[in-house]
Amino acid sequence: MKTSRLKRLITASVMAVCVFSQVAQGEDAAARGYGVLTEMPLLSSDFDQEVFDNTWQSWPEPLRRKAENASPEERRQMAFDRYGLTNRQDHASGKPLQYVVDETSGDWTMNCFSCHGGSVYGTSTPGAPNNRFALQTMTEEIRATKFKLGKPLSRMDLGSLVIPLGTTHGTTNAVVFGMGLMSSRDADLNLIASPMESFTHHDMDAPPWWHFHKRPYIYIDGFAPKGHRGLMQFTLIPENGPSFFHEHEEHFRDVYAYLSSLRPPKYDGPINSPLAEQGRALFQQTCAECHGTYGENGQYPNRNIPLDEIGTDPVRLTALTAEGRTKYAKSWFARSGDPDAGKTIVDPKGYVAPPLDGVWASPPYFHNGSVPTLWHVLHPSERPTVWRRNSDAMDSERVGFQIDVVEKVPLTEPDVAIRRSFFDTRRFGKSNAGHDYPDVLSESDKRAVLEYLKTL
């Protein structure tokens, strides 16, 4: 009896050690993955510290005069605010989360947090969509500063003259950037001569990375199976040949572990619990079929909604051709060797309804970032045509951005950064139409669902 009990205790102890070891290894891999993104330059450098410190000289008046009279620290913060950069909370020197900065050479190299490392209502949050990122404006002013300083131009400086980087701050043309990089590679990622292709340029709102652990496929149309190799696609600059991808594959297994470890922040404001519970029941009746259920036994269906049913802007879906998706399916990126990985979907019919974990923390909404608050998602006829975020603080009543609504973008405004802070839903690829399902709910039902969404 004693021997049997001792054996059970030993077995239980060994199992506990094994589980602890696996958890520890997972935590170590996630920590390494974060280190890869923040400390390892995987692209060519875009500019150096001297250029960044002097970008204020390319700003319009009166901002330039204000910067001239400011201290270096104040100018740095002004630049961070203008371009949508945030400080790394884990680094005492205040390195930007969005760039790898070499302290010896001073080189700045973009990393994945440029789009996927923003702030949640003013709090720097790795994995949150960077809804402030001003890549086009920043690149134009970096290029102008290099001319002033007599510095050579980078690939980004020149490439942005051909492929626009984003027409509205907080959104980017990253999908087309990836398509352009992929067009000059064969299936084994060797560089090949390829004719100039015509791409359908369109802006996208980056999804939050804290959804990654739930989704078996990636991208809004869900065409690509999730895998560590697929995460490497945006490092396809000409300087990175096939050997680069083989050498860094283990690093991206760690990046995969890091993304898988992320979870959304908790809503820290007051919640009307009875109203939220009412909203939960309504959500399960009207929304869960596509967006899933939440809580201890929650399930995510990964459902692709046909375009003619969802009715949201079609440009993102049609911009990627079946030929382009087929090329990806045959490439090294899709040949991960993972027996659990699905097959590339070369002809998706619509968009995948995303998980809604932390949805309160990731405005704006829809794949193109056209809807500023959850209230507007629930009120399709009330969505503003032209709007602009006016504060870092949350609109706690409507849950999302505090905004100004105007008739049109002020084209006479001399500061391009201000013009690009306005979102005009009449522009190509920026429609806020569709997802009219909330129209079946009464106003009181919508209030209850909105309260429930805060709890996810």
Side-chain angles (χ1 to χ4, degrees):
M1 191 73 176
K2 291 181 179 179
T3 302
S4 177
R5 184 181 176 210
L6 179 61
K7 287 181 178 179
R8 288 199 301 271
L9 286 171
I10 292 173
T11 301
S13 298
V14 170
M15 291 178 64
V17 169
C18 289
V19 170
F20 178 81
S21 177
Q22 291 172 355
V23 170
Q25 288 176 8
E27 291 175 348
D28 288 346
R32 291 196 303 269
Y34 177 79
V36 168
L37 296 176
T38 55
E39 299 292 346
M40 184 178 293
L42 298 166
L43 305 172
S44 54
S45 174
D46 295 315
F47 50 88
D48 61 24
Q49 190 68 51
E50 182 185 11
V51 171
F52 185 79
D53 288 344
N54 284 278
T55 53
W56 64 272
Q57 297 186 37
S58 299
W59 295 348
E61 294 290 4
L63 190 63
R64 183 167 67 244
R65 181 63 55 86
K66 181 180 179 181
E68 184 177 16
N69 294 325
S71 68
E73 292 75 19
E74 291 170 334
R75 282 200 294 266
R76 179 181 182 278
Q77 189 58 53
M78 290 172 68
F80 271 43
D81 292 342
R82 184 170 177 82
Y83 301 134
L85 306 181
T86 58
N87 289 313
R88 277 176 55 183
Q89 300 302 311
D90 64 320
H91 203 278
S93 68
K95 281 188 175 184
L97 178 63
Q98 296 78 14
Y99 282 79
V100 177
V101 179
D102 188 308
E103 295 179 353
T104 302
S105 66
D107 288 340
W108 284 48
T109 305
M110 182 184 290
N111 64 27
C112 300
F113 284 122
S114 291
C115 295
H116 297 278
S119 71
V120 175
Y121 304 112
T123 300
S124 181
T125 307
N130 191 352
N131 50 44
R132 285 282 195 190
F133 195 30
L135 181 57
Q136 182 72 37
T137 301
M138 182 179 182
T139 302
E140 290 169 355
E141 293 176 352
I142 287 289
R143 184 168 58 231
T145 304
K146 287 180 177 178
F147 277 123
K148 293 177 185 294
L149 299 177
K151 298 262 189 175
L153 300 182
S154 70
R155 189 174 299 278
M156 179 69 79
D157 299 323
L158 299 173
S160 62
L161 297 172
V162 180
I163 298 181
L165 305 177
T167 59
T168 303
H169 291 174
T171 62
T172 65
N173 193 21
V175 173
V176 172
F177 223 79
M179 292 163 61
L181 293 171
M182 192 71 185
S183 67
S184 61
R185 302 282 179 149
D186 65 15
D188 295 316
L189 308 186
N190 296 296
L191 279 167
I192 57 174
S194 60
M196 286 290 294
E197 292 190 38
S198 177
F199 298 112
T200 303
H201 298 296
H202 59 286
D203 292 345
M204 285 285 295
D205 179 47
W209 269 350
W210 55 68
H211 290 166
F212 187 80
H213 76 284
K214 278 192 170 183
R215 299 193 62 174
Y217 282 72
I218 56 176
Y219 304 126
I220 188 62
D221 56 9
F223 90 93
K226 184 171 69 175
H228 67 280
R229 287 187 177 183
L231 300 177
M232 304 177 76
Q233 184 181 357
F234 288 92
T235 61
L236 270 173
I237 60 173
E239 293 87 343
N240 293 341
S243 61
F244 168 90
F245 296 91
H246 295 291
E247 292 167 3
H248 288 280
E249 185 170 7
E250 287 304 312
H251 289 136
F252 274 82
R253 291 186 195 276
D254 291 337
V255 171
Y256 184 100
Y258 171 69
L259 267 60
S260 300
S261 75
L262 292 174
R263 298 296 182 272
K266 299 289 186 182
Y267 185 81
D268 59 1
I271 293 177
N272 183 329
S273 297
L275 186 61
E277 181 58 25
Q278 179 186 343
R280 183 188 66 80
L282 289 164
F283 182 91
Q284 290 185 339
Q285 293 169 13
T286 59
C287 311
E289 180 181 352
C290 297
H291 290 289
T293 56
Y294 300 83
E296 186 176 350
N297 298 313
Q299 294 183 337
Y300 173 61
N302 191 52
R303 184 180 174 192
N304 189 295
I305 316 301
L307 187 60
D308 58 359
E309 178 183 335
I310 188 69
T312 50
D313 193 290
V315 173
R316 166 61 179 79
L317 183 67
T318 57
L320 269 72
T321 64
E323 291 77 12
R325 291 190 177 94
T326 299
K327 181 173 183 178
Y328 179 89
K330 295 177 179 178
S331 75
W332 181 84
F333 295 125
R335 303 196 305 264
S336 67
D338 183 352
D340 296 326
K343 293 184 178 180
T344 304
I345 300 171
V346 300
D347 190 23
K349 303 303 181 184
Y351 298 125
V352 175
L356 298 182
D357 308 78
V359 66
W360 68 273
S362 59
Y365 302 103
F366 289 7
H367 68 272
N368 57 5
S370 59
V371 182
T373 74
L374 289 175
W375 186 91
H376 289 106
V377 172
L378 295 170
H379 294 78
S381 64
E382 300 295 324
R383 295 169 189 162
T385 301
V386 184
W387 56 272
R388 177 195 182 195
R389 181 182 186 178
N390 62 26
S391 172
D392 275 338
M394 179 176 67
D395 183 332
S396 57
E397 181 178 348
R398 294 186 171 186
V399 188
F401 291 156
Q402 295 186 26
I403 63 170
D404 295 321
V405 178
V406 299
E407 290 186 3
K408 60 181 180 179
V409 177
L411 298 180
T412 57
E413 164 60 51
D415 189 343
V416 67
I418 294 177
R419 297 200 303 270
R420 288 179 180 145
S421 68
F422 288 88
F423 197 108
D424 188 343
T425 63
R426 297 168 298 192
R427 296 187 65 178
F428 181 75
K430 290 181 171 290
S431 170
N432 62 5
H435 196 274
D436 296 331
Y437 311 114
D439 282 340
V440 303
L441 300 172
S442 68
E443 187 60 32
S444 60
D445 287 345
K446 291 177 181 179
R447 285 198 299 271
V449 170
L450 182 62
E451 198 70 11
Y452 172 65
L453 292 176
K454 298 176 185 177
T455 71
L456 302 184

